[in-house]
Amino acid sequence: MIDNKAINMDTLNRFLFDNHPVRGEITRLEKTYQSILENHNYPIAVQNLLGELLVATSLLTATLKFDGDIAVQLQGDGPLTLAVVNGNNQQELRGVARVNGEIADDATLKQMVGNGYIVITITPKKGERYQGIVGLEKETLIGCIENYFMQSEQLPTRLFVKTGVHNNKPMAAGILLQVLPANENIQASFEHLSALTETITGDELFQLPTDEILYRLYNQEEVRLFETHQIIFKCGCSRQRCEDSLMTLPASEIDEILNEEGGKIDIHCDYCGKHYLFDAIDIAQLRNKRHLNYH
Ligand SMILES: [Zn+2]
């Protein structure tokens, strides 16, 4: 095993079992998760769900075999109208939720989302975009994502995800186990490894070094732990992007907003909480830059 004594949060590691055709990933999120929660006042149940979604997306992006982006989006007709996490294979993640109504602390997935589904969009840098839709057929988000793996890759996959609070900070972490392709008859050993992984607690995932977690779970097994990847919160918003979307609006509409909002257009990013302000002078400069007519 690689020496990995420090408790590195916001990291992802892959691992392999030498004696079983099964691979694993472990991901632990602290700052990334906090960045997603900090500018919002989400109900507790939504905070937990976003934590699960974040862990699941991190684990999912680590299964990509190419450069690209992934979006895991929950939508429905319940009080949680939208929850989405975007990630890429550099483990840059961001996420947001929209709530419209009351959500109890112990609300179930169904109570939050109502009639809904999960859309998983994978956009490779080169090649075709892929979109998979999974119904909310299981009681938990994680159960639904396991279904997605079964449907899309035909590979038995288990996710073990915990969210909680440690040292007054929200944390989210999880482990993925997946049968390697072309191994049909390993149900017994996959169940055995899953049963071992099932015993992990939130406290262990939030507090122990990665190699110690793997040792606690699999000390009867030969496990190879691979290099550590850093996970960061990164929002793709920028002033340039705001300018681009502003300039798609008709000039008259921009003028109207400027009038109504007291001479300033305030574009607010839901993901990171940043504000981008544009006044009449900014707009005039943008129009000049793009050779657009003022009238
Ligand atoms: Zn942003």
Side-chain angles (χ1 to χ4, degrees):
M1 273 194 185
I2 292 167
D3 186 37
N4 192 20
K5 284 279 172 270
I7 305 167
N8 284 325
M9 293 303 284
D10 298 285
T11 56
L12 178 131
N13 291 81
R14 296 183 176 89
F15 57 93
L16 267 182
F17 294 94
D18 281 347
N19 301 320
H20 306 281
V22 172
R23 56 183 220 86
E25 296 169 4
I26 175 168
T27 190
R28 274 110 58 81
L29 295 147
E30 182 185 338
K31 288 202 184 80
T32 315
Y33 184 31
Q34 286 158 20
S35 299
I36 284 172
L37 299 181
E38 72 188 355
N39 293 304
H40 303 270
N41 207 356
Y42 295 130
I44 298 289
V46 173
Q47 292 186 22
N48 290 331
L49 188 73
L50 272 175
E52 289 180 10
L53 199 57
L54 191 63
V55 170
T57 308
S58 167
L59 294 169
L60 200 59
T61 57
T63 68
L64 292 181
K65 290 157 200 81
F66 46 78
D67 283 358
D69 297 330
I70 205 161
V72 184
Q73 186 169 327
L74 265 162
Q75 54 192 75
D77 62 5
L80 177 68
T81 52
L82 172 80
V84 60
V85 172
N86 303 87
N88 61 26
N89 56 299
Q90 264 104 56
Q91 290 289 334
E92 296 169 342
L93 298 164
R94 66 173 189 165
V96 75
R98 293 208 182 101
V99 178
N100 186 6
E102 289 291 307
I103 293 180
D105 287 356
D106 60 352
T108 62
L109 180 68
K110 264 258 172 301
Q111 286 166 343
M112 285 189 269
V113 183
N115 292 310
Y117 46 89
I118 304 171
V119 185
I120 296 173
T121 311
I122 298 172
T123 314
K125 282 232 163 66
K126 291 174 195 154
E128 293 270 304
R129 168 188 270 209
Y130 166 86
Q131 200 162 58
I133 295 177
V134 225
L136 301 183
E137 279 140 28
K138 299 279 173 176
E139 277 173 23
T140 63
L141 172 72
I142 298 309
C144 298
I145 304 254
E146 287 173 347
N147 262 2
Y148 163 79
F149 275 106
M150 204 58 217
Q151 285 168 21
S152 70
E153 307 198 28
Q154 274 101 44
L155 295 173
T157 306
R158 293 287 317 272
L159 270 68
F160 307 85
V161 176
K162 305 279 179 194
T163 63
V165 174
H166 176 61
N167 287 341
N168 288 322
K169 289 174 188 157
M171 297 215 186
I175 296 174
L176 171 143
L177 292 184
Q178 186 172 63
V179 173
L180 292 170
N183 288 284
E184 279 94 33
N185 300 316
I186 67 137
Q187 204 184 345
S189 64
F190 190 59
E191 274 171 21
H192 164 69
L193 294 175
S194 298
L196 293 176
T197 314
E198 193 97 61
T199 64
I200 193 75
T201 65
D203 282 346
E204 288 171 322
L205 272 175
F206 303 150
Q207 292 174 41
L208 295 178
T210 308
D211 59 349
E212 203 172 317
I213 291 174
L214 297 187
Y215 181 75
R216 282 203 186 188
L217 291 175
Y218 315 119
N219 53 57
Q220 308 286 328
E221 307 289 338
E222 297 289 324
V223 181
R224 254 187 297 159
L225 178 64
F226 295 95
E227 67 196 82
T228 301
H229 296 271
Q230 206 64 43
I231 301 172
I232 59 161
F233 172 84
K234 191 172 177 190
C235 190
C237 72
S238 67
R239 191 164 178 91
Q240 182 66 51
R241 285 195 173 186
C242 293
E243 289 175 0
D244 292 344
S245 61
L246 266 179
M247 287 300 106
T248 65
L249 296 175
S252 58
E253 199 171 314
I254 294 179
D255 292 341
E256 215 170 283
I257 305 171
L258 274 174
N259 271 333
E260 282 168 9
E261 304 295 323
K264 273 199 168 29
I265 297 177
D266 180 355
I267 300 181
H268 173 242
C269 176
D270 265 0
Y271 284 91
C272 68
K274 239 183 233 156
H275 287 268
Y276 296 93
L277 293 172
F278 295 87
D279 61 17
I281 295 169
D282 296 325
I283 299 295
Q285 282 171 346
L286 278 180
R287 282 170 175 156
N288 275 338
K289 216 158 73 183
R290 281 152 211 249
H291 308 290
L292 286 175
N293 291 325
Y294 191 81
H295 293 290

